[in-house]
Amino acid sequence: MIRHSQSIRRSTTLTAGILSAVLTVVPPAIYFVMAFSHMTGVIETEGEINARVVGTLVVANPRMWEFEELRLNELLARRSTETAEKRVLYNLKGQVIAESSDKMLPPLLSKTFPVHDAGHQVANLVVSRSLAPTLMVTALLFCLGALAAGFTFFRLRTVPLRAIENAYRSLKQSEEKYRSVYESLNEGLALYRTVPGSGTDIDLVLADMNPAASSVFGFGRDDIGKSILQVQGGLFAPVREALQGAPAEVSLELTQEGAGRVFVVNAFPMGDGMVATLLEDVTEKKRSAEQLEHLAYYDSLTGLLNRRMLLDRMEHTIGIAQREGLKMATLFFDLNGFKPINDTMGHEAGDQILIEVGRRLKSSVRKKDTLARLGGDEFVVVATLDTEDNASCIAQNLLRKLSPVYEVGGREVYVGASIGISVYPDDGTTPETLLKNADIAMYNAKKPGVEFCFYSAQMNQKLQERTRLEFELWMALEREEFFLEYQPIMDARTGRIAAVEALVRWMSPEKGRVMPDSFIPLAEATGIIIPLGEWVLKTACTKLRQWLDAGCLPLRMSVNISGCQFMRSELCRLVEEAAEQTGVDLALLELELTETCLVKDVEETAAKLWHLKGLNVSIGIDDFGTGYSSLQYLKNFPIDHLKIDRAFIRNVCELPDERAIVDAIIGIAKAMELHVIAEGVETLDQAEYLAHRGCDELQGYYYHRPLSEERLLEVLRQERERFEQGSGAGDAVIVGAVPTQPV
């Protein structure tokens, strides 16, 4: 680079000097020559003209012309241009006869012209002009040329050299950057020089390496000059074979035995007989990729296959079963009693149970079978079999393996399982269909006394009906197909209507009147009960406000609240909104709760109940005696009413045990100063017995079935008329005499 730079520097200097000299000398020289030639020509022309004019005078006065000084001076003074000029007439002796001259600066350019008389020379005419203006212009041009030459020389001398310096500087910077990148690469970079090998083969000799190649990949400075077959014990020897006859880039994955390291080598020719190899240690990447693959196809908790891998294995197993004429069983099961353990003992305990379940299942299935965990406590086993009886044996074996107790946190817990079975090809030909049908069968296996169940088309039909009914419930809520009926609750002492219970009903355009037992359980299971319960609460409060405005006597409105609605909805806020929107006195509102919803979260339940009590709402326990029947919540919760379940009222007059239970409930309620309501009263004997035992209110078909709003208002009007007619005689105890509305 330096040698080329000096050669260019010399050539540039010489060229600039020559061009500068030409610019300095040639223009003024050309001007001077042209100006001198022009002046010479003009002098010759002027001299010849003046010589002829003087010759004419001489011829006219051959003897006296020398004495015509005035006329000669006049002739010599004549000018065809304004340029200063000197004219002198000499005789042959060299004496001045006449002259005409302007002031001129030296030096002068002179020309002599002869004057003749009859062919004989008689005088000489000398014409002169000054060269000073021409020399001054020539000097000026020389100066200007010198300036231009100096500028040209500077430009021609410095610009190329500056470009060379810039190029050299850029090249140096690029080299420094390349060196910096070369040395800072995380990947190892080794440069090899190609040398002829044996035969037509080529060999690669290590020429250089970057620091990463030394520190990470074990190259040493003493390896420089060695063949690639010798470096690192010949680890990179496959690169040489791959490059034989392959001018393009090659990429190889090499494993270092013993160390367990994996390298990716990219080798590519660089020209000038050099080959570069870029080395990358991908050991961690391979491990990460394997871990990601494991996460993508395996359950992280149990190590079993996940849903994605299960579907792939099922496709493969279906292909085997189809080719060999076998059946394939899909056993879908989840754990019974797992959720309470997970909720009470914590998720860590639940995870330990799931891990142990996976271990037991893994030891129970054959190697050719497929075991997977879908999530939560759901597991699937896929097995080929000869008959469906084999599937029963597999299910029984799995249940036996899962039945022993589990030790978690120093405690022994029991976990069972429900298994649903679908069989290929009878119950489906695709993995998705078989899983879906096995899932349907598993829900049927949760019935009491059933541990595993085979899929049938009727199960799917029931599921479709359930799904369709769920959709119809949502649509019914949107289309306002629900309405309320009201069953009066009678005062056992006076026989008057003390309260009414709001009961939701559904009038379907397709099915007609649908009974609550057909849709309430599904509404609770799907969560529809929450918006439906909100509608019931607000509608009941609205109706009560309308009745009071119409002149009806005040009475309680009892509304049932499901456990799902009590725990998951903002019940207190809904009650406050209903009171604000309708203006009803909340002292006339009674909320009936079941025992089961009171014991799920005691602290939260107590907070809600005391909040409702602060709003002056009455709290009643519905179906008392059929749930937990704990005296603890009767003591701690703000309960106003106990409603004895109809199951105890049905045979209260016939069975002593039933009477004992009813008497005990009434006795406990009275001791705790609670209001007692008996539901399901259907006979006069039941009504009289309950009234005599101290039951406060009675409800049942003996008095009234659930009534429409119009029929209820008519009953209330009739009762009001009877009350007004008999108000003068005082209240009479008429319990059990005649029902208000005979049935």
Side-chain angles (χ1 to χ4, degrees):
M1 176 66 193
I2 296 176
R3 185 174 63 254
H4 290 300
S5 176
Q6 291 175 348
S7 176
I8 294 174
R9 188 188 301 272
R10 286 194 298 269
S11 300
T12 303
T13 303
L14 179 60
T15 303
I18 293 173
L19 185 57
S20 299
V22 170
L23 289 175
T24 304
V25 176
V26 172
I30 292 174
Y31 173 78
F32 180 79
V33 170
M34 293 179 65
F36 186 83
S37 299
H38 176 72
M39 185 182 293
T40 302
V42 172
I43 291 174
E44 289 179 350
T45 303
E46 292 290 336
E48 289 179 357
I49 293 173
N50 279 276
R52 291 192 186 98
V53 173
V54 173
T56 304
L57 179 62
V58 171
V59 172
N61 300 288
R63 295 188 179 275
M64 297 299 294
W65 66 273
E66 295 182 8
F67 303 102
E68 295 288 340
E69 183 178 357
L70 293 176
R71 293 185 64 185
L72 288 173
N73 288 336
E74 182 183 354
L75 291 175
L76 294 177
R78 291 180 181 179
R79 301 282 190 273
S80 59
T81 63
E82 297 295 330
T83 305
E85 195 175 78
K86 180 180 180 181
R87 298 171 183 173
V88 181
L89 183 64
Y90 296 94
N91 59 16
L92 295 178
K93 294 179 180 181
Q95 297 173 343
V96 177
I97 299 173
E99 64 178 340
S100 173
S101 125
D102 296 330
K103 292 181 179 180
M104 294 184 297
L105 296 174
L108 301 178
L109 175 62
S110 302
K111 286 284 186 179
T112 302
F113 302 94
V115 178
H116 295 86
D117 179 17
H120 300 282
Q121 182 178 354
V122 294
N124 289 312
L125 178 63
V126 178
V127 179
S128 303
R129 284 194 177 188
S130 175
L131 286 173
T134 301
L135 292 175
M136 292 176 63
V137 173
T138 302
L140 179 61
L141 290 176
F142 181 83
C143 293
L144 293 176
L147 291 175
F151 178 76
T152 303
F153 180 84
F154 175 77
R155 296 297 294 176
L156 293 177
R157 179 71 170 75
T158 58
V159 171
L161 294 179
R162 186 175 299 167
I164 293 172
E165 291 175 357
N166 291 337
Y168 179 75
R169 189 181 302 109
S170 299
L171 182 61
K172 186 176 181 180
Q173 291 175 352
S174 299
E175 184 178 355
E176 290 175 352
K177 290 180 181 178
Y178 165 75
R179 175 60 60 179
S180 175
V181 173
Y182 176 74
E183 294 180 352
S184 62
L185 277 175
N186 292 328
E187 294 82 5
L189 183 60
L191 301 178
Y192 292 88
R193 184 175 60 257
T194 59
V195 297
S198 60
T200 58
D201 294 341
I202 61 170
D203 195 8
L204 300 177
V205 176
L206 184 63
D208 193 14
M209 81 286 291
N210 69 344
S214 300
S215 60
V216 179
F217 299 94
F219 284 81
R221 303 305 300 180
D222 55 346
D223 290 329
I224 295 178
K226 292 183 180 180
S227 170
I228 195 172
L229 301 176
Q230 299 172 328
V231 177
Q232 294 287 309
L235 174 63
F236 304 106
V239 176
R240 177 192 173 194
E241 284 72 24
L243 286 174
Q244 300 293 337
E249 178 181 351
V250 296
S251 180
L252 300 174
E253 184 177 291
L254 305 176
T255 302
Q256 188 176 22
E257 300 296 338
R261 299 173 67 188
V262 182
F263 301 105
V264 171
V265 183
N266 292 300
F268 47 90
M270 297 181 61
D272 295 333
M274 299 297 292
V275 173
T277 58
L278 189 63
L279 312 175
E280 183 181 4
D281 189 345
V282 295
T283 306
E284 292 301 323
K285 288 185 179 179
K286 293 278 288 185
R287 291 174 183 170
S288 299
E290 291 173 356
Q291 292 176 355
L292 289 175
E293 182 180 3
H294 190 274
L295 292 175
Y297 295 104
Y298 293 86
D299 175 51
S300 59
L301 180 63
T302 62
L304 304 179
L305 302 181
N306 60 11
R307 176 182 288 273
R308 181 178 177 182
M309 196 62 177
L310 171 65
L311 295 175
D312 183 73
R313 291 285 183 87
M314 290 182 70
E315 287 280 4
H316 179 70
T317 307
I318 288 174
I320 294 176
Q322 186 177 14
R323 288 193 303 270
E324 299 182 5
L326 301 174
K327 291 181 178 294
M328 185 188 81
T330 301
L331 294 87
F332 191 113
F333 59 96
D334 70 354
L335 306 180
N336 298 329
F338 175 75
K339 190 176 186 305
I341 296 174
N342 201 38
D343 293 342
T344 57
M345 300 181 65
H347 292 287
E348 184 176 354
D351 290 345
Q352 293 180 16
I353 292 176
L354 293 175
I355 293 172
E356 177 62 19
V357 169
R359 189 191 63 79
R360 294 185 184 184
L361 292 176
K362 194 180 297 184
S363 64
S364 303
V365 300
R366 300 170 299 180
K367 290 185 177 180
K368 64 178 182 179
D369 297 338
T370 300
L371 172 63
R373 177 185 175 224
L374 298 187
D377 59 342
E378 295 179 339
F379 296 82
V380 173
V381 173
V382 178
T384 55
L385 41 86
D386 298 328
T387 64
E388 293 186 6
D389 293 338
N390 293 348
S392 301
C393 295
I394 294 174
Q396 292 171 353
N397 181 47
L398 293 175
L399 291 172
R400 281 196 301 270
K401 287 288 185 179
L402 296 176
S403 59
V405 297
Y406 297 79
E407 292 188 4
V408 179
R411 296 174 55 184
E412 293 184 348
V413 297
Y414 172 80
V415 176
S418 298
I419 303 179
I421 306 172
S422 63
V423 179
Y424 168 86
D426 303 336
D427 302 327
T429 57
T430 64
E432 292 80 4
T433 303
L434 292 169
L435 280 176
K436 182 193 71 172
N437 292 339
D439 191 10
I440 295 173
M442 183 269 295
Y443 278 103
N444 282 270
K446 287 186 174 295
K447 295 178 180 179
V450 181
E451 292 183 324
F452 64 89
C453 179
F454 283 88
Y455 169 79
S456 65
Q458 290 77 11
M459 296 179 185
N460 195 14
Q461 183 178 359
K462 290 181 180 179
L463 179 62
Q464 291 178 358
E465 291 176 355
R466 174 189 171 95
T467 304
R468 184 169 56 253
L469 180 59
E470 180 181 352
F471 174 76
E472 291 176 352
L473 279 175
W474 283 111
M475 296 304 297
L477 196 61
E478 292 183 5
R479 295 193 294 246
E480 299 181 354
E481 296 176 1
F482 293 102
F483 63 96
L484 294 181
E485 288 187 339
Y486 308 90
Q487 187 173 26
I489 301 175
M490 314 302 295
D491 189 314
R493 187 179 64 85
T494 65
R496 292 178 50 203
I497 298 177
V500 293
E501 181 179 0
L503 303 172
V504 64
R505 299 291 186 261
W506 177 21
M507 180 60 70
S508 171
E510 296 82 14
K511 302 179 185 303
R513 186 184 179 94
V514 182
M515 298 306 295
D517 294 343
S518 301
F519 67 86
I520 290 296
L522 180 59
E524 291 180 343
T526 58
I528 302 176
I529 194 66
I530 294 178
L532 179 59
E534 181 179 349
W535 177 86
V536 170
L537 177 63
K538 291 184 177 180
T539 302
C541 291
T542 301
K543 294 299 182 182
L544 180 59
R545 178 73 268 170
Q546 293 175 355
W547 300 343
L548 296 175
D549 293 342
C552 294
L553 295 176
L555 74 166
R556 291 196 327 274
M557 176 68 76
S558 179
V559 178
N560 290 287
I561 303 297
S562 71
C564 177
Q565 183 182 5
F566 182 78
M567 297 304 299
R568 292 169 54 186
S569 67
E570 298 179 2
L571 183 61
C572 300
R573 179 184 59 82
L574 293 176
V575 171
E576 291 175 350
E577 289 181 357
E580 182 179 353
Q581 293 173 4
T582 61
V584 71
D585 184 2
L586 291 180
L588 300 177
L589 178 64
E590 178 185 3
L591 300 182
E592 291 189 11
L593 307 173
T594 60
E595 297 175 83
T596 54
C597 73
L598 297 178
V599 296
K600 288 184 178 180
D601 190 334
V602 176
E603 293 184 1
E604 183 179 355
T605 299
K608 285 187 177 182
L609 292 179
W610 283 109
H611 189 175
L612 292 171
K613 195 64 179 176
L615 299 176
N616 208 21
V617 176
S618 298
I619 307 297
I621 304 300
D622 194 14
D623 301 331
F624 185 80
T626 60
Y628 292 92
S629 300
S630 172
L631 301 181
Q632 186 67 29
Y633 67 72
L634 293 179
K635 171 185 175 183
N636 296 330
F637 294 160
I639 307 299
D640 298 297
H641 309 282
L642 288 184
K643 181 176 282 190
I644 305 175
D645 187 76
R646 67 180 69 248
F648 302 116
I649 304 301
R650 184 179 300 111
N651 299 312
V652 69
C653 296
E654 291 82 12
L655 299 178
D657 292 342
E658 301 291 345
R659 285 197 300 272
I661 293 174
V662 171
D663 291 347
I665 294 174
I666 295 175
I668 292 173
K670 292 301 181 181
M672 301 184 71
E673 298 182 354
L674 298 178
H675 202 76
V676 183
I677 305 172
E679 63 177 342
V681 179
E682 298 182 355
T683 65
L684 175 62
D685 293 339
Q686 294 172 353
E688 290 178 342
Y689 177 81
L690 293 169
H692 293 153
R693 301 302 296 177
C695 196
D696 298 293
E697 293 178 352
L698 306 174
Q699 177 184 3
Y701 287 180
Y702 175 70
Y703 296 102
H704 293 283
R705 289 180 177 273
L707 305 175
S708 65
E709 180 182 4
E710 294 78 8
R711 179 59 183 148
L712 174 65
L713 292 177
E714 182 180 349
V715 171
L716 292 175
R717 180 183 56 79
Q718 294 173 357
E719 182 180 86
R720 179 182 177 183
E721 291 176 355
R722 288 196 303 271
F723 173 75
E724 291 175 350
Q725 292 174 1
S727 59
D731 291 340
V733 179
I734 57 174
V735 174
V738 179
T740 308
Q741 177 62 33
V743 179

